[in-house]
Amino acid sequence: MSNTRRGRKPPQEEEDASKLKFGEDFQAEEFLFISEVALLLAKTPESQKNTSVYQKTAEYVNLFTKFHNEESVRELRKTLLRHKLEKYELVQLANLCCDDVEEAKSLIPSLCKRPDEEIRSILDDIGQLRKFQT
């Protein structure tokens, strides 16, 4: 007799973002920057903006978005993709916009496997894009 009862799925391996281990639901999915969500919400037809979910989501992204125009958001994704980051790391770096390497490594533990100089370069790229967004 198997360890699982009829209809039950076997226990899955525990998710752990610090080890870049996510559930199977996330394997084939792309993660969005908060700034990308803000751009999508801005394109929502007025007739669909009256829900509480829309209002709460818009309020959240407006509070935390760091990049405010489509060109800078597109350039940010393109720049971060060049660094060959895991998709989770890429999105967290874009959303958090850390100021220094230690902050980035403490908030995104999977970055600890990368050299500090590489992380510094990524943070500098993000900082430059924030500084010069139009």
Side-chain angles (χ1 to χ4, degrees), residues 42-97:
K43 295 177 181 180
T44 302
E46 286 298 321
S47 62
Q48 296 176 359
K49 293 183 178 182
N50 296 337
T51 68
S52 65
V53 171
Y54 176 89
Q55 296 297 323
K56 289 177 185 177
T57 304
E59 196 174 298
Y60 180 88
V61 299
N62 288 334
L63 183 61
F64 292 107
T65 192
K66 307 285 192 215
F67 295 86
H68 301 282
N69 65 59
E70 200 165 337
E71 183 181 332
S72 62
V73 173
R74 193 174 26 252
E75 188 61 33
L76 175 63
R77 183 168 285 277
K78 191 167 83 175
T79 298
L80 291 175
L81 284 170
R82 283 194 295 259
H83 288 283
K84 307 289 188 222
L85 296 158
E86 296 291 332
K87 59 187 174 183
Y88 173 80
E89 296 168 330
L90 182 140
V91 171
Q92 290 302 316
L93 285 165
N95 289 341
L96 297 170
C97 292

Side-chain angles (χ1 to χ4, degrees), residues 32 35-44 54:
L32 294 176
S35 298
E36 290 172 322
V37 174
L39 293 172
L40 290 172
L41 290 176
K43 295 177 181 180
T44 302
Y54 176 89

Side-chain angles (χ1 to χ4, degrees), residues 8 11 15 20 70 79 108 118:
R8 284 192 189 171
E15 296 177 13
L20 300 172
E70 200 165 337
T79 298
I108 311 163
E118 180 183 353

Side-chain angles (χ1 to χ4, degrees), residues 16 18 23 45 48-50 53 72 99-100 121-122 125 127 131:
D16 186 345
S18 69
Q48 296 176 359
K49 293 183 178 182
N50 296 337
V53 171
S72 62
D99 291 322
D100 61 55
S121 174
I122 295 166
D125 286 350
K131 188 176 179 179

